[in-house]
Amino acid sequence: GENVEQHPSTLSVQEGDSAVIKCTYSDSASNYFPWYKQELGKRPQLIIDIRSNVGEKKDQRIAVTLNKTAKHFSLHITETQPEDSAVYFCAARLTGGGNKLTFGTGTQLKVEL
Amino acid sequence: GAVVSQHPSRVICKSGTSVKIECRSLDFQATTMFWYRQFPKQSLMLMATSNEGSKATYEQGVEKDKFLINHASLTLSTLTVTSAHPEDSSFYICSASFGYEQYFGPGTRLTVT
């Protein structure tokens, strides 16, 4: 089955700086890679996703890059703000896996004033 | 966007009793719903995949007789924790599949005393 590794587990940045979270996946048949933001006690919220036929996708301050050859994808947040503080999860969907997602272990992002 | 509701949001029950959790997709039909369990500061652990009109598919290590799943319609899936014990205390989250994307419910905090 698919295995997703996520780094770092914690990340602290100053407000206005950029934050980068990286994930690697094991199965080259994975074709969809979403990122979720989860605030304490709340539901995970989809913030951006990318499909395997695309190398990069951007939505305002958030971008995701995908390197299929290396089997890794990254979340980039620019101009970080205190409200970006949360736990971020990456995930991968295996082709033919019936929409099942395998999640990374999460990154606790703290944006300090 | 796609909205998923989950009830109850919080439940406390006594050891040995059963608890039912409902998951509804409010503005779309979901042929597939997923049930996750999340312990504090940990990632989402998939318990089972629920398909409308058919039996749920359980992940390895999840007891199907303890965690009963029913997907009665395209907008409703239920998870029943039978004969709950303190070790079943956790945050249970459902999600509904819409195309490639998964949208999560707000979660149910179960405490078994």
Side-chain angles (χ1 to χ4, degrees), chain B residues 27-54:
Chain B
D27 52 0
F28 66 101
Q29 293 184 331
T31 54
T32 305
M33 290 185 174
F34 302 88
W35 287 96
Y36 295 84
R37 188 172 176 175
Q38 188 177 35
F39 291 107
K41 298 189 178 182
Q42 292 192 21
S43 188
L44 296 135
M45 185 193 81
L46 180 65
M47 299 174 65
T49 302
S50 170
N51 294 295
E52 188 266 338
S54 65

Side-chain angles (χ1 to χ4, degrees), chain B residues 6-110:
Chain B
Q6 193 173 332
H7 294 282
S9 59
R10 191 178 294 268
V11 58
I12 301 172
C13 71
K14 292 189 175 182
S15 186
T17 61
S18 295
V19 174
K20 180 186 280 188
I21 303 170
E22 290 189 350
C23 178
R24 294 181 185 272
S25 56
L26 298 184
D27 52 0
F28 66 101
Q29 293 184 331
T31 54
T32 305
M33 290 185 174
F34 302 88
W35 287 96
Y36 295 84
R37 188 172 176 175
Q38 188 177 35
F39 291 107
K41 298 189 178 182
Q42 292 192 21
S43 188
L44 296 135
M45 185 193 81
L46 180 65
M47 299 174 65
T49 302
S50 170
N51 294 295
E52 188 266 338
S54 65
K55 290 185 178 180
T57 303
Y58 291 82
E59 295 299 299
Q60 192 172 5
V62 178
E63 299 175 57
K64 61 180 68 176
D65 293 331
K66 180 168 186 62
F67 299 100
L68 300 178
I69 292 171
N70 185 287
H71 195 150
S73 74
L74 287 172
T75 59
L76 173 64
S77 177
T78 61
L79 168 68
T80 301
V81 183
T82 62
S83 188
H85 291 286
E87 57 266 30
D88 298 324
S89 298
S90 188
F91 192 51
Y92 292 85
I93 313 178
C94 70
S95 72
S97 173
F98 186 71
Y100 272 51
E101 299 161 1
Q102 276 190 38
Y103 294 93
F104 286 84
T108 296
R109 175 76 58 194
L110 171 62

Side-chain angles (χ1 to χ4, degrees), chain A residues 32-112:
Chain A
Y32 172 68
F33 308 91
W35 285 89
Y36 288 87
K37 174 183 179 183
Q38 186 179 29
E39 297 178 9
L40 189 63
K42 302 287 181 64
R43 77 183 83 196
Q45 291 192 309
L46 179 66
I47 57 171
I48 197 166
D49 56 10
I50 192 167
R51 299 193 186 189
S52 58
N53 59 347
V54 177
E56 183 173 357
K57 184 177 177 181
K58 190 174 181 180
D59 182 4
Q60 299 182 344
R61 296 187 297 110
I62 296 173
V64 55
T65 58
L66 171 65
N67 183 326
K68 285 195 299 182
T69 303
K71 290 188 284 188
H72 66 70
F73 56 112
S74 300
L75 176 70
H76 304 253
I77 306 174
T78 59
E79 300 172 31
T80 54
Q81 301 166 3
E83 50 266 38
D84 294 330
S85 297
V87 178
Y88 291 81
F89 292 99
C90 64
R93 173 191 182 273
L94 195 59
T95 304
N99 276 359
K100 188 166 79 169
L101 294 176
T102 300
F103 283 84
T105 48
T107 297
Q108 174 74 62
L109 173 65
K110 184 177 181 182
V111 180
E112 297 177 333

Side-chain angles (χ1 to χ4, degrees), chain A residues 16-36:
Chain A
D17 288 349
S18 295
V20 181
I21 303 171
K22 298 181 179 181
C23 288
T24 59
Y25 58 99
S26 60
D27 199 319
S28 57
S30 289
N31 64 353
Y32 172 68
F33 308 91
W35 285 89
Y36 288 87

